[in-house]
Amino acid sequence: MKAGLGALTARGRSFVASGIAALLCAVLLGEHDLLRIGILILTLPLLAAMVVARTRYRLSCARRLEPQRAEVGVEATVTLRLENVTRLPTGLLLVEDTVPYALGARPRFVLDRVEPQGIREIDYRVRSDLRGRFPIGPLSVRITDPFGLVELARGFTISDTLVVTPQVVPLPHVRLSGEWTGGGDSRSRSVAAAGDDDVAPREYRQGDDLRRVHWRSTARHGELMVRREEQQWQSRGALLLDTRRMAHRGEGPRSSFEVAVSAAASIGVHLAREGLGLRLVTDQGAEHLTEMGLSHSLLDTLAVVRQSQTRSLDYGVTALRQGGGDGLIVAVLGSLRAEEVTALARLRHGSVTGVAVVLDTAVWEHPDAPPSEEYEQVRTVLAGYGWRVARLRSGGSIAAVWPEAARRGGRTPIGNTAGGGGE
């Protein structure tokens, strides 16, 4: 009863106040009819509080997100499944789920009655124009009487997470470098290997093909020996994303930083689907990506990447150099100083292919402006070291400029050949 009285709604408290006032007036004026009215008005919320407080039914709740990863601006569907696990029907239920402000207003629903062992499913949609990981839940259920005089809240503890990823734009297939072997869509074998071809024989195992028996080794060891299967080679690459606040312009979804994140996501997913073993590097160093589900791991990481206060690309360049074994380096860059351009340019040496997507931040607020002098200087230095440079302007699409990644850069300056990459 104490819990019920504490859960009186504004209407319930008004009834109590009106009932008490009617009783006082009835006593002072000696009106018996008013006394009966006062007792009725006062008793009604008290009875409602007793009924609601003594409610003993139990509910189970489950939540499903479809999809669990949604791109910026794309709707996701949340399905709530409520089950009455007792043998008593429920009363009126007010269901409210907890969602962050970025996903919209809190969804509220009214369920009139759930029969014993009954199930109700409720769908609602959420969308966000911001990247991130957003918790959804917990769910709260408010139990009320038919007159709306008493309301008790009961909550669940389970919650789920919706990952809002950057926009991924499909990219055309381009021939990035000359290390691709064979014809068609065959994979690169000159970049790095998942393991060297091991031609040494091993002992025969149950199920091995007898056509792989190595008879010379069998005679030498006195037992059946078979040739090992060649291990698959896998090309490796690195994706550098410039997240420095000072290197970008604009605010919100159309800022150069958000465009850079979307470009990096599009390139990374495209290369992963091409079979490239990829690692992600920012100006703060290397980011951890899982080998299984590389595209999902990359998108999850980019969903929460934020602008940094770092003022130099040194950590990123160092991480690229220490990683080693990359046959392809793709850099998505903002504004750069001369020394940063040179340090980055020297990473391309030998058979390494370098592709730079440079955001022309100097004229970012003027999308129709010609390439800025700053961009031309960056392009000249990178192209001089053999990089392939594409300009990405405000309002432009990474899919439109990606074919420029197939154009070979200029020759490496004298004195800065393969040895320059180890500086």
Side-chain angles (χ1 to χ4, degrees):
M1 177 61 73
K2 183 178 180 181
L5 292 176
L8 287 173
T9 63
R11 181 184 300 177
R13 290 191 293 270
S14 298
F15 267 64
V16 172
S18 300
I20 293 176
L23 291 177
L24 292 177
C25 291
V27 172
L28 294 176
L29 300 177
E31 293 288 341
H32 297 286
D33 292 336
L34 185 58
L35 179 64
R36 286 190 288 269
I37 294 175
I39 293 175
L40 176 63
I41 295 176
L42 183 60
T43 303
L44 191 59
L46 298 179
L47 291 175
M50 182 181 300
V51 172
V52 171
R54 290 176 60 86
T55 301
R56 289 292 181 266
Y57 55 80
R58 292 179 298 159
L59 298 174
S60 67
C61 172
R63 184 186 295 100
R64 184 176 68 253
L65 303 180
E66 184 61 38
Q68 293 185 335
R69 292 181 183 85
E71 289 187 12
V72 168
V74 176
E75 288 187 339
T77 301
V78 182
T79 302
L80 296 173
R81 187 177 188 273
L82 288 173
E83 180 179 2
N84 180 12
V85 297
T86 63
R87 297 181 179 180
L88 297 175
T90 70
L92 190 66
L93 301 179
L94 304 177
V95 181
E96 179 179 1
D97 210 2
T98 305
V99 299
Y101 176 76
L103 297 182
R106 288 190 174 188
R108 296 181 176 90
F109 306 93
V110 177
L111 297 180
D112 185 20
R113 180 179 180 274
V114 181
E115 65 277 6
Q117 309 299 322
I119 297 175
R120 296 289 185 275
E121 286 194 353
I122 306 170
D123 294 338
Y124 66 91
R125 296 180 179 273
V126 293
R127 67 183 296 272
S128 174
D129 293 327
L130 303 174
R131 296 176 293 105
R133 296 174 61 88
F134 300 101
I136 298 181
L139 180 75
S140 63
V141 177
R142 297 180 182 180
I143 307 168
T144 185
D145 66 288
F147 302 104
L149 302 177
V150 179
E151 183 179 275
L152 284 179
R154 296 182 178 179
F156 297 87
T157 58
I158 62 169
S159 61
D160 297 90
T161 301
L162 175 66
V163 180
V164 180
T165 63
Q167 182 183 19
V168 176
V169 179
L171 301 182
H173 175 75
V174 298
R175 189 182 182 90
L176 289 179
S177 58
E179 78 274 3
W180 299 90
T181 60
D185 296 328
S186 60
R187 303 301 181 207
S188 170
R189 293 198 174 190
S190 64
V191 182
D196 296 331
D197 286 345
D198 190 348
V199 297
R202 60 167 174 81
E203 67 277 3
Y204 174 84
R205 296 172 186 167
Q206 183 69 29
D208 284 337
D209 190 346
L210 292 177
R211 289 175 295 182
R212 291 172 47 214
V213 173
H214 195 267
W215 297 109
R216 184 177 300 176
S217 300
T218 298
R220 184 168 59 251
H221 290 84
E223 60 177 331
L224 280 178
M225 305 291 290
V226 297
R227 293 186 299 273
R228 294 178 183 265
E229 293 181 346
E230 291 184 351
Q231 297 180 359
Q232 296 295 324
W233 293 66
Q234 184 185 32
S235 55
R236 287 185 52 197
L239 176 62
L240 172 65
L241 173 62
D242 187 357
T243 67
R244 297 172 301 158
R245 182 179 296 275
M246 59 168 290
H248 292 281
R249 301 291 183 273
E251 298 292 338
R254 295 188 178 181
S255 66
S256 64
F257 175 68
E258 291 299 328
V259 173
V261 174
S262 176
S266 302
I267 295 170
V269 170
H270 174 75
L271 295 179
R273 290 173 179 172
E274 291 283 324
L276 192 76
L278 196 66
R279 61 192 184 100
L280 176 65
V281 177
T282 69
D283 48 275
Q284 301 179 75
E287 300 286 343
H288 175 70
L289 298 181
T290 59
E291 293 296 332
M292 298 299 294
L294 179 59
S295 296
H296 288 165
S297 179
L298 174 67
L299 291 176
D300 288 348
T301 302
L302 292 178
V304 295
V305 69
R306 295 291 180 261
Q307 289 181 301
S308 72
Q309 301 300 325
T310 307
R311 306 190 64 84
S312 172
L313 272 180
D314 290 346
Y315 289 126
V317 172
T318 301
L320 286 174
R321 184 181 294 118
Q322 290 177 345
D326 299 317
L328 173 67
I329 300 177
V330 181
V332 182
L333 306 168
S335 179
L336 296 173
R337 296 192 296 267
E339 60 272 18
E340 294 170 341
V341 180
T342 303
L344 178 64
R346 289 176 176 173
L347 291 176
R348 201 217 72 80
H349 61 85
S351 62
V352 176
T353 299
V355 178
V357 178
V358 182
L359 284 78
D360 199 347
T361 58
V363 292
W364 191 256
E365 303 298 334
H366 307 281
D368 297 328
S372 64
E373 182 179 352
E374 176 183 319
Y375 166 78
E376 291 292 354
Q377 293 174 350
V378 172
R379 185 191 65 80
T380 300
V381 174
L382 290 176
Y385 280 84
W387 285 71
R388 306 169 185 188
V389 185
R391 175 180 179 253
L392 186 56
R393 58 184 178 84
S394 177
S397 170
I398 182 61
V401 303
W402 183 244
E404 298 181 28
R407 301 176 184 175
R408 295 185 179 276
R411 295 182 178 179
T412 304
I414 297 175
N416 291 290
T417 54
E423 293 181 15

